[in-house]
Amino acid sequence: MKTDIKLAWRNLWRNKRRTIITIASIFFGVILSTYMTSMQEGSYEKMVENAVRFYSGHIQIQNEDFWENKTINNTFEETDSLKTKIASVPGIQLVVPRLESFALASSKQLTKGAMVLGVDPQKEDQLTEISKKMVRGKYLKKGSDGILMGETLAKYLQVDVGDTLVLLGQGYHGINAAGLFPIRGIFKHPSPTLDRQLIYMDLGTAQNFYSADHLLTSLAMLVNEADEVPHIVKELKAKIHSPYRIMSWDEMQPELVQQINGDRDSGAIMKMILFLVIGFGILGTIIMMVAERRREFGVMVSVGMQKIRLAWMLIYETFIIGLLGILSGSLAALPILYYQYFHPIKLGGQAGQMMVDMGFEPYMYFSLAPKVFTFQVLIIFIIIVVISIYPFVSALILKENKALRA
Amino acid sequence: MSIITINDLHKVYDGTQVEVHAVNGVTLNIEEGEFSALVGPSGSGKTTLMNMLGGLDRPTSGQVLINGTDLSQLKDSELIDFRLHHIGFVFQSYNLIPVLTALENVEFIMHLQGVPSAERHARARELLEAVGLGDRLNSRPGQLSGGQQQRVAVARALASKPRYVLADEPTANLDSHSTENLLDIMEELNHKENITFVFSTHDARVVKKAHRVIVLEDGKVISDEVREKVGASNSNE
């Protein structure tokens, strides 16, 4: 095998220019495809992170009916047993209790529907970092009787820090929920939708407001590694059953998943076209290599080389080309992506503004996840395997007497 | 003792309009140690017969027996293995592997046979020295003249220690000096090692050296002349 690989290696360099051009096509293809994949995956990672950090967390535990019917009646109590079960699952970084419902928010002359979120201020801040988004006033403290509200909502209701807001809603089991709440702070939420409707309140205050003592609508969780979410969900589902429901971020945000998948598919088509061009380039080289050495193959088989051994030698040649292209391309792409990972591309103009309006940072982020590289390696490997069928079969069906006359 | 026995050998190609009888009922015995030439005009069936003698082509009917082995009974892979261990080939256009040096080209056959590295290295060196190329061991075919390449091809043909070498127009691309030189080497090997050589040739210089001249025409043997062995007569003197 060593001699056959040596022979394959030397054969490749018989026509240096052709081999270098073929390797270069893979090299640039890998760089381009890796760059595209890294940018896509980086953007998706950021979108998911934003979605998780904006509100949902990676995983939520809810009352089993809450997702379909988001009323204050579909709540649950965070029992010691539930806490123990959650604590027994590794990989969960943070568990954030919430009581979520709706209420009418009124200022002197204006009224608007709002989403009231009762939270543990400290834990909530670890998840959503809302204290960093404060534009006026101060962040909530545990036991505070005041509220925080989105800047757009405050603007609509023409209120500011120090003013009082009337909240009117329906409490647990139909009890009236009404109260006056001083505005302690105004935040600018990155999600325009949430900025238009979100009101934060201390969890105890909210439970009191909705007459839902000790009750929660959800436990939002943050995990250490986003990739571990499916595994953690599986473990939680194995331990926690009815009347609870475990939901991952992708179940809670199907539109985002759809958007990512759609974008991934269009990227896949682009990459498919790119790899198709590269694949045909390699195939052209291999066909030429086989055609111009037909007589030589005839000699090799005539003097006693088994056809299967010749076939393997040609496979080595094809694989060496692929391997050199993949390795050189990946090695060249790595520092480029490393730089882009720490220096994302800032989007200016309308595109940037559009992203800001959608609540995202106006940057194109890059990913250094292993899958960014493994994907290219896998695709080129598959291309090489498919292409190597040609020289392999050519060697096996070779007629030595005809090949000697080639 | 016959090393090659050919019994009523036929090879028919299906042409577009008519069948072509490239070899038409050839029966021959080639004795061990012969230095024979197959001659005839183009289209007489020399190359087809040589291909069948080397197991590179299969007859339509008839038999080629080499040391009692019927080549037509062997499967493709067995035939390749048989060639590797029993037959040496010298081709018209040298057909060396261009990316290997002279030494590696000769070693290649032994490598296929699974001969250990040190042993094949020593034998390849010995063979190249025997054909006068001891100083060109590490030259690649492109760095050698036609005559030198053909001598490497002879060394390669002998690397597997065959009892039988088939040479298809080995001097066709060589000048007079290289031809003489090559023929002397092969004749010497024939005398010293008793290796059987069968040439297909147009070349009068090869015919002159041959101990047996078999003339083919239209796929049939029309003349079979056995001459006195030059080497044998010399040794008798």
Side-chain angles (χ1 to χ4, degrees):
Chain A
M1 187 174 162
K2 196 178 149 193
T3 307
D4 294 352
I5 291 175
K6 187 168 86 178
L7 202 56
W9 174 260
R10 287 194 195 171
N11 279 327
L12 282 182
W13 302 107
R14 282 159 80 159
N15 192 333
K16 285 193 187 80
R17 190 188 296 174
R18 188 173 62 201
T19 302
I20 287 170
I21 288 172
T22 311
I23 292 171
S25 73
I26 303 174
F27 171 85
F28 288 113
V30 167
I31 291 181
L32 192 62
S33 173
T34 310
Y35 194 85
M36 274 170 66
T37 309
S38 173
M39 196 156 68
Q40 276 183 302
E41 292 302 324
S43 303
Y44 304 154
E45 281 169 18
K46 197 66 193 173
M47 282 162 82
V48 171
E49 191 190 319
N50 282 343
V52 164
R53 287 281 183 179
F54 279 4
Y55 181 70
S56 74
H58 286 116
I59 301 167
Q60 282 194 13
I61 296 179
Q62 302 168 353
N63 174 295
E64 61 189 345
D65 297 321
F66 182 73
W67 187 251
E68 279 79 25
N69 186 11
K70 288 183 177 171
T71 75
I72 195 78
N73 294 332
N74 290 328
T75 48
F76 63 94
E77 210 169 321
E78 190 184 15
T79 61
D80 289 342
S81 154
L82 184 62
K83 280 181 188 169
T84 312
K85 284 174 185 170
I86 294 169
S88 70
V89 177
I92 298 170
Q93 191 189 108
L94 183 69
V95 182
V96 181
R98 285 174 178 166
L99 180 68
E100 173 191 328
S101 193
F102 291 89
L104 283 172
S106 297
S107 58
K108 279 179 185 169
Q109 292 165 348
L110 294 158
T111 299
K112 193 175 186 304
M115 184 172 130
V116 178
L117 197 60
V119 297
D120 177 316
Q122 197 192 345
K123 287 182 179 173
E124 183 69 25
D125 197 39
Q126 282 176 270
L127 174 65
T128 56
E129 297 181 329
I130 206 77
S131 66
K132 290 183 185 168
K133 299 178 180 86
M134 299 300 296
V135 287
R136 289 188 294 282
K138 286 181 180 174
Y139 184 63
L140 286 178
K141 284 182 181 166
K142 199 168 177 69
S144 168
D145 61 350
I147 57 168
L148 306 179
M149 64 193 300
E151 193 179 29
T152 313
L153 179 62
K155 202 176 276 180
Y156 178 85
L157 294 172
Q158 297 171 5
V159 291
D160 210 336
V161 176
D163 290 342
T164 300
L165 203 66
V166 176
L167 291 178
L168 187 65
Q170 185 176 316
Y172 190 61
H173 286 307
I175 296 170
N176 272 341
L180 288 170
F181 297 92
I183 300 166
R184 302 286 183 213
I186 307 284
F187 57 82
K188 173 74 186 166
H189 201 285
S191 159
T193 311
L194 291 177
D195 203 53
R196 273 199 302 270
Q197 60 177 11
L198 192 57
I199 292 173
Y200 276 108
M201 191 183 278
D202 172 68
L203 180 62
T205 310
Q207 284 169 337
N208 193 33
F209 172 62
Y210 283 113
S211 308
D213 285 351
H214 309 298
L215 294 175
L216 304 173
T217 51
S218 66
L219 283 169
M221 296 174 195
L222 202 60
V223 303
N224 292 325
E225 297 292 335
D227 292 346
E228 286 292 302
V229 168
H231 176 70
I232 294 171
V233 165
K234 199 176 163 189
E235 279 201 48
L236 285 171
K237 280 183 175 172
K239 291 178 179 177
I240 300 166
H241 309 283
S242 183
Y244 303 105
R245 178 179 190 170
I246 318 292
M247 291 187 83
S248 56
W249 68 265
D250 48 339
E251 286 177 275
M252 292 182 276
Q253 302 185 69
E255 301 86 1
L256 180 62
V257 175
Q258 215 171 2
Q259 189 187 342
I260 290 174
N261 287 342
D263 196 69
R264 230 180 225 140
D265 289 347
S266 61
I269 291 168
M270 292 286 289
K271 278 181 262 181
M272 202 170 78
I273 294 168
L274 176 71
F275 282 119
L276 215 58
V277 172
I278 294 170
F280 277 108
I282 305 171
L283 182 65
T285 300
I286 299 299
I287 289 174
M288 297 253 283
M289 261 166 52
V290 171
E292 72 186 15
R293 285 160 59 202
R294 219 171 133 67
R295 177 199 282 260
E296 189 181 314
F297 298 157
V299 172
M300 286 172 149
V301 174
S302 297
V303 299
M305 189 180 206
Q306 289 291 348
K307 290 175 189 173
I308 186 76
R309 191 164 177 178
L310 174 65
W312 273 108
M313 189 187 79
L314 296 177
I315 284 193
Y316 296 148
E317 288 180 26
T318 316
F319 271 74
I320 290 171
I321 287 181
L323 204 66
L324 287 176
I326 291 169
L327 281 178
S328 56
S330 299
L331 282 175
L334 196 62
I336 299 171
L337 297 186
Y338 192 78
Y339 176 83
Q340 295 285 29
Y341 182 77
F342 291 104
H343 302 88
I345 299 170
K346 186 169 188 182
L347 293 173
Q350 281 188 326
Q353 192 52 49
M354 200 167 76
M355 286 190 76
V356 172
D357 292 345
M358 285 168 68
F360 299 119
E361 294 171 71
Y363 286 95
M364 291 301 289
Y365 287 94
F366 288 76
S367 169
L368 283 178
K371 69 179 171 188
V372 169
F373 297 93
T374 52
F375 174 77
Q376 328 307 322
V377 173
L378 190 71
I379 294 290
I380 299 273
F381 182 77
I382 291 169
I383 289 173
I384 295 291
V385 168
V386 172
I387 287 173
S388 62
I389 293 171
Y390 176 78
F392 191 80
V393 173
S394 297
L396 291 183
I397 61 170
L398 184 95
K399 297 285 175 209
E400 45 271 46
N401 59 330
K402 285 184 183 164
L404 282 171
R405 293 199 295 270
Chain B
M1 192 185 116
S2 290
I3 189 166
I4 306 171
T5 306
I6 303 166
N7 289 329
D8 193 24
L9 201 66
H10 289 262
K11 181 69 184 182
V12 181
Y13 293 110
D14 288 327
T16 47
Q17 305 256 316
V18 287
E19 287 184 340
V20 178
H21 291 259
V23 173
N24 197 357
V26 171
T27 298
L28 278 174
N29 279 319
I30 292 177
E31 305 297 321
E32 186 161 16
E34 271 191 18
F35 201 68
S36 309
L38 278 173
V39 295
S42 292
S44 61
K46 295 189 304 287
T47 302
T48 308
L49 183 59
M50 289 288 276
N51 281 344
M52 288 191 285
L53 291 183
L56 298 173
D57 204 354
R58 291 182 184 273
T60 309
S61 66
Q63 280 182 314
V64 176
L65 299 161
I66 295 179
N67 279 333
T69 304
D70 184 353
L71 298 191
S72 63
Q73 297 302 311
L74 299 178
K75 288 189 284 185
D76 265 5
S77 60
E78 291 169 339
L79 205 50
I80 293 171
D81 213 41
F82 186 85
R83 291 198 296 260
L84 176 63
H85 291 95
H86 298 92
I87 309 173
F89 288 93
V90 178
F91 302 97
Q92 180 181 340
S93 311
Y94 330 130
N95 289 335
L96 299 174
I97 300 170
V99 293
L100 299 181
T101 64
L103 192 72
E104 288 168 336
N105 260 290
V106 180
E107 277 192 70
F108 181 68
I109 305 292
M110 291 181 277
H111 169 70
L112 295 176
Q113 287 182 314
V115 176
S117 170
E119 191 185 325
R120 67 175 188 243
H121 194 74
R123 179 159 167 77
R125 181 183 279 270
E126 189 184 302
L127 284 165
L128 284 167
E129 278 167 1
V131 296
L133 289 173
D135 57 339
R136 304 305 302 268
L137 300 178
N138 295 315
S139 301
R140 289 200 180 180
Q143 298 165 318
L144 299 171
S145 69
Q148 287 172 325
Q149 287 189 55
Q150 199 59 305
R151 281 190 273 157
V152 176
V154 170
R156 181 180 66 180
L158 298 171
S160 61
K161 297 183 182 172
R163 300 310 307 153
Y164 164 42
V165 172
L166 282 173
D168 187 14
E169 309 216 20
T171 59
N173 296 327
L174 302 183
D175 58 31
S176 307
H177 175 71
S178 300
T179 300
E180 285 299 325
N181 188 256
L182 185 77
L183 288 170
D184 287 344
I185 289 167
M186 291 199 277
E187 202 170 21
E188 194 183 338
L189 288 163
N190 172 250
H191 289 158
K192 281 187 180 169
E193 315 259 346
N194 202 34
I195 296 167
T196 309
F197 279 86
V198 179
F199 302 92
S200 89
T201 187
H202 283 303
D203 192 335
R205 293 163 298 186
V206 182
V207 177
K208 196 176 153 193
K209 289 260 185 189
H211 309 150
R212 182 179 176 188
V213 179
I214 301 158
V215 182
L216 286 173
E217 199 174 288
D218 297 332
K220 291 180 179 172
V221 176
I222 57 160
S223 151
D224 188 354
E225 180 194 354
V226 180
R227 298 168 178 170
E228 189 183 4
K229 276 192 178 183
V230 178
S233 60
N234 285 347
S235 58
N236 291 340
E237 282 171 3

